[in-house]
Structure formats: structure tokens, C-alpha cells
Amino acid sequence: MTDLVELMSHGESTVKRRSLPVAAAFAATAALLLTACGSGDDSSKGNDKIAGADSGATASAASPSASSTTGADRPEITLPNGVKDEFESWKTGDATKDAVLADAGHAQTATNDAIIKGTSDTPGMTFYYKGKALTSSTQWVQKWLDAGITYTGTTRYYRPKVEIFDNKSAGVSYCADESKAYNQDRKTKKVDRSSAGKDGFVLYNTRLEKNGAGVWQTSDGTSVRGSKTCVQ
């Protein structure tokens, strides 16, 4: 089982080259989060896939369907032309797990939307995040603004694994491929298309909690950039 303490030690805290839609300044409590059991850590020479992930045919979706989760009054989040989130194998067939996965995906898209809009004060951020995760994600968006950059291109999210802890808490781990998403200067609009190499792949471990409206909000998490679990 992956040691989450090790994952925490690798968490991103500054804007680096190609640190794209990473809500990754999370400070996590190891006991609360889902770990990629059986996947091995970054030093392992064994299987680099998240245990339990669907390794068969993968269907892509521009965004998880909000209608598949709850009837809550959800904020509309639409990424602009040239920016896309793709979610592969983001459905399990289990209604509860699919609701958790959908809201985990919405949280990522909310962060991306905030980065592109140039403000962390968006309805999506407070709707899909809470607690430590909201604080960290807000700080992360601000780092992008301070650096004067945004991004363009496609980010692919894949190999999701979800575990339901109880009726109000769950954990989700998944990978992100940022190899086709590129930093862009906000003023000059110049795009940096140089390769990010293995740093373009990120492993996430997140905790979600269900609120009174039935929304699974991301409350905590970690990320590992360049994780062998996700590098393809």
C-alpha cells in the first residue's frame, strides 16, 4: 500500500513549469485519505497502476455529468475554447461511487476555471471545496496569478479509484496527464509548448465529504508530480 506520508512529502507548494490545474498545496492527514493500495510507491519496480483501476477500454467525457449526482443548485462552469478536461473511465456503475467521482471531477474543473478567469473568488470553488482543500486551492490559484500565467490545452484525468468510507465521507485517487496542456503568459498570450516530461503526470489522493445538499465536497488531499504510478 502506498505510504501517504511519503505522498505528503512530495506535495506541490509552488508554481513550477507545467504545474497546471493542480490543487496541490494540500496539507493532508494520512489517516483520513484514500491510498492507492497495492500500487507501490514511487521507488517500486512493480506494477505502476492504481489497484482496482479500469485497465480496459476507456471512454472520455468533457466533464462528469452534474445531473448524475444531485439536484443541488450547481454553479455553471464552462471552460473556454482551447481548454478541455477529459475524464476517462469516470463511471463505475455504482450510483454512490459515480456521484463521488463526478464531484471530484467538478472540483478539478472549478480550479481550472478559477485559474483561467484569474480569480479564486468563483462560485465553483466554494461549491466543490471546503476546509483545508478550499484554503489550499485558493492559495494555489493565487500563485498562478502572482506568476502572471494561465494555461491552454487539454488535461486528461484517468485511473480513478474510489472508496466509500461511510455515508458522508469517501476517498478518491486518480492520475492527471498534463502533457497536452501548456502554460500561457497572461499579458503576451505566448504559449510555452516545451515538454514537461514526467512532471506532466500527477497522482492525486483526495478526501471528499457529503454536505447537506448532497454535494461531495473535496476537503483534503495530496498530489505527487512525476509519480511512476501515472507516468505512461
Side-chain angles (χ1 to χ4, degrees):
M1 179 177 289
T2 300
D3 185 350
L4 201 55
V5 174
E6 180 178 352
L7 298 187
M8 288 163 37
S9 72
H10 288 77
E12 306 292 338
S13 60
T14 59
V15 173
K16 295 182 179 180
R17 168 80 186 92
R18 298 297 297 285
S19 296
L20 292 170
V22 183
F26 292 144
T29 301
L32 299 181
L33 300 176
L34 174 68
T35 59
C37 298
S39 65
D41 60 27
D42 276 359
S43 63
S44 174
K45 295 182 181 180
N47 191 345
D48 66 352
K49 295 183 178 181
I50 295 175
D54 181 3
S55 59
T58 57
S60 298
S63 176
S65 172
S67 63
S68 67
T69 51
T70 72
D73 186 14
R74 295 171 176 271
E76 182 177 352
I77 303 175
T78 303
L79 298 177
N81 291 336
V83 180
K84 185 177 181 181
D85 284 352
E86 291 184 343
F87 296 88
E88 294 185 356
S89 296
W90 220 251
K91 289 188 176 181
T92 66
D94 178 276
T96 301
K97 289 184 177 182
D98 287 349
V100 173
L101 284 173
D103 282 344
H106 292 317
Q108 278 286 8
T109 300
T111 305
N112 302 347
D113 175 64
I115 290 172
I116 292 166
K117 287 181 176 176
T119 176
S120 60
D121 186 19
T122 65
M125 291 289 284
T126 54
F127 193 89
Y128 290 110
Y129 288 101
K130 64 177 288 186
K132 292 179 181 179
L134 177 59
T135 299
S136 298
S137 297
T138 298
Q139 293 173 342
W140 186 248
V141 172
Q142 187 59 50
K143 289 179 183 295
W144 282 76
L145 305 184
D146 293 344
I149 57 175
T150 180
Y151 82 99
T152 187
T154 298
T155 307
R156 182 172 64 95
Y157 301 99
Y158 58 103
R159 294 180 185 168
K161 177 179 173 63
V162 58
E163 182 175 332
I164 305 300
F165 300 144
D166 53 46
N167 61 356
K168 289 188 176 180
S169 64
V172 176
S173 67
Y174 57 94
C175 293
D177 174 5
E178 302 172 352
S179 62
K180 294 184 179 179
Y182 308 97
N183 288 358
Q184 183 178 37
D185 188 281
R186 288 190 182 275
K187 291 183 178 180
T188 67
K189 307 301 181 184
K190 183 178 180 181
V191 177
D192 181 357
R193 296 186 181 276
S194 57
S195 174
K198 68 177 184 179
D199 285 342
F201 297 89
V202 186
L203 171 65
Y204 289 92
N205 278 277
T206 61
R207 176 180 173 86
L208 296 92
E209 298 178 4
K210 190 176 182 180
N211 67 14
V215 178
W216 289 91
Q217 294 178 298
T218 298
S219 61
D220 214 336
T222 66
S223 70
V224 185
R225 183 165 292 280
S227 169
K228 291 182 180 180
T229 297
C230 299
V231 173
Q232 297 181 323

